[in-house]
Amino acid sequence: MGGQPPLGGGFPQGLPAFATGPPGPAGPQGGGGGGGGDMGGRGGVGIENLYPLIENLRNPATRDVALQELSKERETYEDLAPVLWYSSGTIAALLQEIISIYPMLTPPTLTALASSRVCNALALLQCVASHRDTRALFLKAHIPLYLYPFLNTFSDQRPFEYLRLTSLGVIGALVKVKVDDSDVVSFLLQTEIIPLCLRIMETGGELPMTVATFIVEKILADDTGLNYVCKTYDRFATVTRVLDDMITEKSPPPRLLKHIIRCYLRLSDNPRAREALRQCLPEVLRDGGSHFGPAIRDDQNVRRWLATLQHNLGEGSPAVGAAPLPDMPGAGPGH
């Protein structure tokens, strides 16, 4: 199976519709920012004050304290990411921290202390992932693959939940930045991120579930991602089944619910998916949001999204050229 993450963490069972070939060439809360500037921090303090800490990352004896301090400062210095990327041995040291806890994943023996330490390393990688000068390099090096084993853990213990949430934050930083190409989305699709996100959307806590849904939403927002999900009925049905369960069974909080609604809205932009949604859209989305609490029901953006969704689905005859999704029940030769 293509896109296997390092040291295991294979394709989640029960979501076979997203199996793809081997990855080709590399193509919500992000730290690091994204712009040029004078490499200064707040109050005019220069980033050179962090150089000793960055140098300490290369020494295992001083790395833990350096990780803690740099993690605290990552949002103060908008150009910390290029310094981390181009300084000798720094990224290798961060990857060593990640790899070192792989043996603690199965069986689940990860401690809170070990989880906190590796999450500090992940926070610095999130900074690199979100910066405009290092983002493409981060992707080309296939560094996200080192995080996939964390996303494929099943333990509901707090250290694992924290680890999954922070790992999702790195992926979220990649998709959060608006760019003019689809390199990030293509990479994530080829390495099977959607099944990992869907499983977290089904079984995770509120925060990991929210970030995972945000990632799926951002993938769908790109035409490459939308076309990928709507290429076969199995893929479409797998995504909508999870979204349906979330919205009808779990009473999602307003922030998560907004991401779910935007996923449905984006799916309705695809003509073939639109035909399928006419049959399977949850009832709670068909009445303008009257089933929801006031935080959602009275939100003007949500009202507009739901109105657009209803307009896209509409009543009457199927759109011209909107053939059923491949493998959709009833989509035989005569349809």
Side-chain angles (χ1 to χ4, degrees):
M1 185 156 20
Q4 287 284 7
L7 300 185
F11 197 83
Q13 294 182 357
L15 296 175
F18 291 90
T20 62
Q29 301 175 6
D38 58 3
M39 287 195 153
R42 296 191 185 115
V45 179
I47 198 172
E48 61 271 10
N49 291 321
L50 298 185
Y51 289 172
L53 289 173
I54 295 173
E55 185 174 349
N56 285 345
L57 287 175
R58 298 198 294 270
N59 184 348
T62 58
R63 186 179 297 165
D64 189 18
V65 173
L67 285 170
Q68 294 179 45
E69 295 303 317
L70 286 169
S71 179
K72 294 175 185 176
E73 298 289 347
R74 72 187 189 279
E75 293 184 0
T76 302
Y77 298 88
E78 67 174 12
D79 282 319
L80 173 60
V83 177
L84 293 172
W85 185 264
Y86 289 107
S87 57
S88 176
T90 299
I91 298 300
L94 298 179
L95 293 179
Q96 284 176 356
E97 289 296 308
I98 289 172
I99 293 171
S100 69
I101 70 163
Y102 284 172
M104 304 179 192
L105 302 182
T106 306
T109 58
L110 183 66
T111 65
L113 189 62
S115 177
S116 178
R117 175 165 171 160
V118 75
C119 284
N120 284 330
L122 290 171
L124 296 180
L125 288 180
Q126 180 175 332
C127 168
V128 175
S130 65
H131 195 283
R132 69 181 185 185
D133 293 337
T134 53
R135 182 169 171 269
L137 297 168
F138 182 88
L139 198 65
K140 187 176 181 180
H142 288 193
I143 290 178
L145 292 180
Y146 287 90
L147 280 56
Y148 283 20
F150 300 159
L151 299 178
N152 204 28
T153 56
F154 292 86
S155 174
D156 59 359
Q157 299 172 16
R158 183 176 293 272
F160 283 91
E161 191 82 344
Y162 186 36
L163 181 64
R164 285 190 292 267
L165 176 61
T166 312
S167 300
L168 286 168
V170 179
I171 307 299
L174 283 172
V175 299
K176 184 177 182 181
V177 181
K178 293 183 178 180
V179 291
D180 295 329
D181 58 60
S182 297
D183 285 353
V184 170
V185 170
S186 296
F187 175 86
L188 295 177
L189 292 175
Q190 291 165 348
T191 55
E192 301 168 359
I193 191 64
I194 288 185
L196 292 172
C197 286
L198 291 178
R199 188 178 55 75
I200 293 172
M201 289 160 63
E202 287 184 295
T203 63
E206 178 182 327
L207 285 177
M209 192 183 301
T210 300
V211 181
T213 309
F214 167 80
I215 292 170
V216 172
E217 177 196 340
K218 285 296 187 177
I219 290 174
L220 289 173
D222 186 273
D223 287 343
T224 302
L226 180 64
N227 292 335
Y228 175 87
V229 170
C230 297
K231 185 176 181 179
T232 70
Y233 180 74
D234 282 347
R235 290 178 181 173
F236 168 84
T238 301
V239 172
T240 54
R241 176 186 58 78
V242 173
L243 293 173
D244 184 278
D245 288 346
M246 292 172 71
I247 205 168
T248 59
E249 304 292 337
K250 298 184 179 181
S251 300
R255 181 171 58 167
L256 175 55
L257 184 56
K258 290 177 182 179
H259 290 307
I260 296 171
I261 293 172
R262 286 197 292 263
C263 286
Y264 276 113
L265 179 59
R266 178 56 175 157
L267 286 170
S268 74
D269 287 335
N270 180 278
R272 295 187 301 181
R274 189 157 56 236
E275 294 306 312
L277 284 174
R278 288 189 172 122
Q279 304 173 36
C280 67
L281 186 72
E283 289 298 324
V284 293
L285 297 181
R286 295 181 183 271
D287 61 0
S290 63
H291 285 78
F292 302 130
I296 287 293
R297 189 174 57 243
D298 300 334
D299 187 300
Q300 293 301 314
N301 287 328
V302 174
R303 291 166 65 91
R304 186 177 68 252
W305 298 334
L306 291 174
T308 304
L309 178 59
Q310 291 176 337
H311 174 77
N312 287 352
L313 300 185
E315 296 290 338
S317 301
V320 175
L325 291 167
D327 305 322
M328 180 177 177
H335 290 263

